[in-house]
Amino acid sequence: MTHSLHTFENGAALATALAGRVAEALKAAIAASDAASLAVSGGSTPKAFFEALSLEDLDWSKVSVTLVDERFVPEDHPRSNHLLVATHLLKNKAAEAEFVPLYAPEDSIEAAAAVATDAVSDLGTPLDVVILGMGSDGHTASFFPGGDNLEDALDLELPPRVITMQASGAGEPRLTLSFSSLADAGLLILHIEGEEKQAVLEKALAGEDEAEMPIRAVLSRAETPVDIYWAP
Ligand SMILES: O=C1O[C@H](COP(=O)(O)O)[C@@H](O)[C@H](O)[C@H]1O
């Protein structure tokens, strides 16, 4: 699959441009079907983008926001992606958006994944906008090298769902949208910043082993061409 690389002078310029692009895609989805869905990633990279997006003028009451992946921790945990999104995105104009969490206070992570699968399926398919990040180990979403469910997570023949993932590089057990939930998004973005991530991207593009660098699955097999947003 093809991809396009968009480079910016700095993270602030990237955040402004990406927020505008995502806002236009959400407005188009609302115009077409009176609703829009947005799945975002966690980590340290998206904070400025979230802040810029929260100020975009659109009918946020018709937008459902969910996560590409989450740790199996409650929403007040400092490493919760829900907390990150609540702090940096679900405010200003975006305060009116509905949030669909992946975490649920179930006894097991498998039970939480089942609850989240039902909730995310209510958003319909395909998702309108998906924003992916990438770790320095080549993971994206919670598709970690060595992950216990990596093969299933990357299998496009399996139905869209929320899947559990444990890996030595992941810290807490994770909940992640499957690749089949992400691959056909209306707009599929990979947002990365810094020279280290640029080098990781170049390494990923130069090889084929998805178990070594799961981001390769997105770059080579996603149905939707990937728009890569990068700044130093
Ligand atoms: O573990 C995670 O890391 C990646 C990348 O995070 P960053 O801090 O390097 O930006 C992120 O995309 C993913 O959602 C998150 O759970």
Side-chain angles (χ1 to χ4, degrees), residues 41-46 69 71 81 133-135 139 141-142 144 174 197:
S41 292
S44 54
T45 306
D69 68 322
R71 297 171 176 87
N81 283 342
M134 181 182 73
H139 85 265
S142 282
F144 280 88
R174 304 280 190 122
K197 296 281 178 77

Side-chain angles (χ1 to χ4, degrees), residues 6-93:
H6 310 263
T7 62
F8 297 85
E9 206 174 323
N10 53 49
L14 185 157
T16 301
L18 182 54
R21 178 94 186 267
V22 170
E24 288 311 310
L26 295 176
K27 284 183 211 172
I30 292 167
S33 54
D34 206 34
S37 54
L38 166 66
V40 297
S41 292
S44 54
T45 306
K47 287 180 189 168
F49 158 64
F50 286 166
E51 296 281 342
L53 185 60
S54 76
L55 294 166
E56 288 286 341
D57 194 12
L58 59 104
D59 189 352
W60 283 101
S61 70
K62 293 183 173 170
V63 179
S64 297
V65 179
T66 191
L67 291 162
V68 166
D69 68 322
E70 177 63 287
R71 297 171 176 87
F72 189 52
V73 297
E75 67 189 63
D76 58 354
H77 189 283
R79 281 169 58 77
S80 161
N81 283 342
H82 182 167
L83 180 63
L84 178 85
V85 168
T87 305
H88 296 284
L89 175 58
L90 302 173
K91 62 183 192 177
N92 301 322
K93 291 179 175 160

